[in-house]
Amino acid sequence: MKNELADPVELTIFQCAVHSIAEEMGAALRRTALSPNIKERRDYSCAVFDGRGRVIAMGDHMPVHLGSMPMSVQAAIDAIDFAPSDIVILNDPYAGGTHLPDITMVQGVFCEDSEEPVFYVANRAHHADVGGKFAGSMGPATTIDEEGVRISPVRILRDGALDREVLDGILRNVRTPWEREGDLAAQIGACRVGEQRLLQLVTKYGLEKLNRWTEELLDYSERLMRAELHAMPAGEFDAEDWLDGDGVTDEPIRIAVRLKIDPAEGAVDVDFAGSSPQVAGSVNAVRAITVSACFYVLRCLLAEDAPATEGILRPVTVHAPKGSIVNAQPPAAVAGGNVETSQRIVDVLMRALAQAIPERVPAASAGTMSNVTIGGLDRRMAGEMGNPFAYYETVAGGMGARLGLDGISGVHTHMTNSLNTPVEALEYAYPLRVRRYSYRPGSGGEGKFRGGDGLIREIEMLCDAEVTLLAERRKFRPYGLQGGEEGAPGRAVVVKAEGGEEMELPGKCSRKLAKGDVLRIETPGGGGWGRRK
């Protein structure tokens, strides 16, 4: 039975309050983290959930994290009997996670007289290394066991006290334990900030009123989503796109979707039947990733101030065949599924939507996060032995053009909402030198409205290092729409220190580079929109 409609002013105040809590959690995490990946690139996300584990507010953080985090929270609730001041840690992609470097923490929020949590808070942060086969834990692995330490839901705080055995078990399995411990401590602090702010809301308004507003907020999101679907044309809309390969073979990998839009019901059925089976390499996506991509695309249809809650997914049915590239099963490797396949799922969904609402959908953006990880021993301050380091970066590309506007150049798009690592921070933290950082002229697709250009980033090794790439859009270029042209494909080159010889690298590989070698990454441009006259 639906609640009586809440006062719109009160509901807006509640919406803004819980959203600000998620944002403040993110600010606390960013300011106290140690790694440049979290502190500078802001590769983290925070969210607030009700006592049933339904998301009611998300920070303006990483779409790939936020749409999948509810499944991790549910996995924690199912596995752990939360007590006050407990915090649960997990990263298992097969328990609602995305890939192993993304570590999630969940805390239940208790009132003085409550036996069960009345809210939950959670955050997820990408750790620059979790002990995988390749430095940075983001390489072309073939099983999840090669990708790093896998954490099923377990308490890292019990009754407010740190469980040192759990923490030490994690730290023993990573390359940079001091940095990981600092980032995990920052995540714990972020949970506590969320707990404090929610308890202040309970004190101010009372739990009964907050619960009523929660239900109305969820219903309001659902109404907004159904209203958007009511306005769309009825029909079935098919689309497909391809991944270049899995890093083990060059065999293209198909992602197919059929959208069935039912305006009368205000509902949509999303069916990925026909997508390729899961593969040997690391581009497999778990179901949480696929649902997250669907959530993101649907959220893009709504106004910016629409509440990002569980209600958005109520009108949506997602079919992702088990054992496929969009719903991989253990022990499949999944590091690239989170960062690369998620982008292609969005591209396919957008391509299908462009048939239904052509004037609202942009051409394809870069379609890859162009992941680069570099690891080795930093001897600048540590003598001959050196300290292990692991640098992780996603390099921005071109945004697709849309009706009335050219695409933006050199920007992170779709499932990533991170920043770059500033040159000064990168060179301070790691034995690396940025030789060039610029736009890639002419890489955007031509059209009535032109796609944004990609970037060129050249990094010199100041020590011997292991460089690993996980990137896409080398063979299948970002598509244009309504007659617009494709964006340029990405590429990566190593310029050898001795002789200046250039060696082109595949999109998914790991190589040993010598001191003085330079890695040059050129990211794809976005597709054009509309035919040029």
Side-chain angles (χ1 to χ4, degrees):
M1 185 173 175
K2 298 288 186 183
N3 292 314
E4 282 187 30
L5 293 181
D7 179 277
V9 174
E10 289 184 335
L11 186 63
T12 301
I13 291 171
F14 175 67
Q15 176 190 340
C16 293
V18 288
H19 179 261
S20 71
I21 290 171
E23 284 287 289
E24 187 178 353
M25 288 172 63
L29 175 52
R30 178 177 74 250
R31 290 169 181 164
T32 56
L34 290 187
S35 68
N37 190 57
I38 298 174
K39 183 177 290 293
E40 302 287 355
R41 291 190 59 249
R42 305 189 183 186
D43 197 345
Y44 62 81
S45 298
C46 301
V48 178
F49 301 76
D50 73 354
R52 292 165 56 183
R54 300 174 298 178
V55 63
I56 59 173
M58 299 176 175
D60 299 327
H61 301 145
M62 300 282 286
V64 74
H65 291 170
L66 293 166
S68 55
M69 205 187 302
M71 297 186 188
S72 285
V73 171
Q74 191 59 56
I77 293 171
D78 291 344
I80 303 294
D81 185 11
F82 278 82
S85 299
D86 286 353
I87 296 182
V88 171
I89 185 172
L90 70 158
N91 73 343
D92 189 350
Y94 297 105
T98 49
H99 60 181
L100 296 182
D102 284 343
I103 296 179
T104 302
M105 288 197 187
V106 184
Q107 180 173 5
V109 178
F110 290 78
C111 295
E112 287 185 6
D113 55 351
S114 64
E115 296 182 358
E116 301 288 336
V118 295
F119 292 99
Y120 292 90
V121 292
N123 64 70
R124 176 172 290 171
H126 183 114
H127 288 252
D129 183 84
V130 289
K133 178 179 178 182
F134 303 97
S137 308
M138 285 291 293
T142 55
T143 68
I144 194 169
D145 297 323
E146 295 179 344
E147 294 185 319
V149 59
R150 183 176 170 189
I151 310 165
S152 297
V154 62
R155 292 180 182 87
I156 193 168
L157 259 67
R158 294 173 181 269
D159 195 26
L162 182 69
D163 190 321
R164 195 72 215 184
E165 290 183 3
V166 171
L167 178 61
D168 288 345
I170 296 169
L171 300 181
R172 280 194 296 269
N173 286 283
V174 302
R175 290 174 175 83
T176 50
W178 59 92
E179 188 176 83
R180 300 286 67 74
E181 183 170 3
D183 287 347
L184 291 171
Q187 288 187 258
I188 291 170
C191 283
R192 286 174 163 163
V193 167
E195 176 195 32
Q196 291 169 7
R197 296 295 179 259
L198 284 167
L199 290 177
Q200 288 171 357
L201 282 187
V202 173
T203 300
K204 184 173 184 179
Y205 295 108
L207 186 58
E208 182 180 350
K209 183 174 283 189
L210 293 180
N211 286 338
R212 188 170 71 251
W213 286 343
T214 292
E215 294 298 333
E216 178 55 29
L217 191 64
L218 293 166
D219 292 344
Y220 176 49
S221 296
E222 179 185 358
R223 291 196 302 273
L224 289 174
M225 192 69 253
R226 289 194 187 276
E228 197 66 41
L229 294 168
H230 284 316
M232 289 189 185
E236 297 183 3
F237 305 96
D238 296 347
E240 67 177 12
D241 207 337
W242 302 80
L243 295 169
D244 296 336
D246 67 350
V248 177
T249 75
D250 291 329
E251 189 70 25
I253 302 163
R254 181 176 189 248
I255 299 178
V257 72
R258 170 170 291 174
L259 299 183
K260 298 179 184 178
I261 299 175
D262 183 351
E265 292 294 326
V268 60
D269 185 277
V270 185
D271 192 350
F272 290 94
S275 298
S276 294
Q278 66 187 61
V279 293
S282 67
V283 295
N284 301 290
V286 294
R287 180 177 171 83
I289 289 293
T290 301
V291 172
S292 184
C294 294
F295 181 92
Y296 164 76
V297 170
L298 292 169
R299 175 66 183 83
C300 286
L301 296 173
L302 303 179
E304 187 175 349
D305 60 354
T309 78
E310 179 262 3
I312 288 175
L313 283 177
R314 289 178 180 174
V316 185
T317 304
V318 178
H319 304 279
K322 278 191 175 183
S324 70
I325 191 71
V326 294
N327 188 1
Q329 303 298 300
V334 297
N338 176 62
V339 290
E340 297 301 297
T341 308
S342 67
Q343 297 284 62
R344 195 63 70 257
I345 295 171
V346 169
D347 288 342
V348 173
L349 290 167
M350 292 282 198
R351 204 170 202 170
L353 269 179
Q355 300 168 44
I357 46 174
E359 295 187 348
R360 295 184 59 188
V361 178
S365 295
T368 174
M369 297 191 197
S370 295
N371 304 267
V372 56
T373 53
I374 303 175
L377 293 175
D378 185 355
R379 296 186 173 88
R380 292 176 300 170
M381 306 275 295
E384 284 301 312
M385 292 298 293
N387 285 325
F389 75 93
Y391 158 69
Y392 172 67
E393 184 85 62
T394 59
V395 187
M399 176 183 175
R402 62 276 202 210
L403 176 63
L405 289 170
D406 294 339
I408 301 171
S409 297
V411 64
H412 286 89
T413 53
H414 294 324
M415 297 302 280
T416 177
N417 189 33
S418 58
L419 304 178
N420 66 180
T421 304
V423 172
E424 298 85 355
L426 188 158
E427 293 182 343
Y428 176 81
Y430 306 111
L432 304 170
R433 178 179 294 126
V434 178
R435 296 283 297 272
R436 180 183 179 187
Y437 194 25
S438 68
Y439 291 124
R440 185 185 178 196
S443 55
E446 294 293 341
K448 183 177 181 180
F449 303 101
R450 192 175 178 282
D453 288 331
L455 293 178
I456 300 174
R457 193 168 174 98
E458 291 184 355
I459 302 174
E460 180 184 355
M461 310 298 130
L462 301 184
C463 65
D464 294 346
E466 178 185 52
V467 172
T468 304
L469 301 180
L470 199 50
E472 271 288 326
R473 290 299 193 197
R474 298 298 197 257
K475 291 188 292 187
F476 299 96
R477 298 162 64 167
Y479 59 77
L481 284 179
Q482 315 307 323
E485 297 181 10
E486 297 174 330
R491 66 191 296 261
V493 173
V494 170
V495 183
K496 300 299 291 181
E498 294 189 13
E501 176 188 359
E502 291 194 1
M503 176 178 63
E504 187 146 355
L505 298 178
K508 303 170 187 69
C509 67
S510 188
R511 299 286 188 269
K512 302 288 186 181
L513 299 191
K515 181 179 179 180
D517 290 349
V518 174
L519 172 68
R520 183 169 73 241
I521 299 169
E522 302 178 14
T523 63
W529 197 100
R531 196 176 307 277
R532 293 185 69 185
K533 293 183 180 179

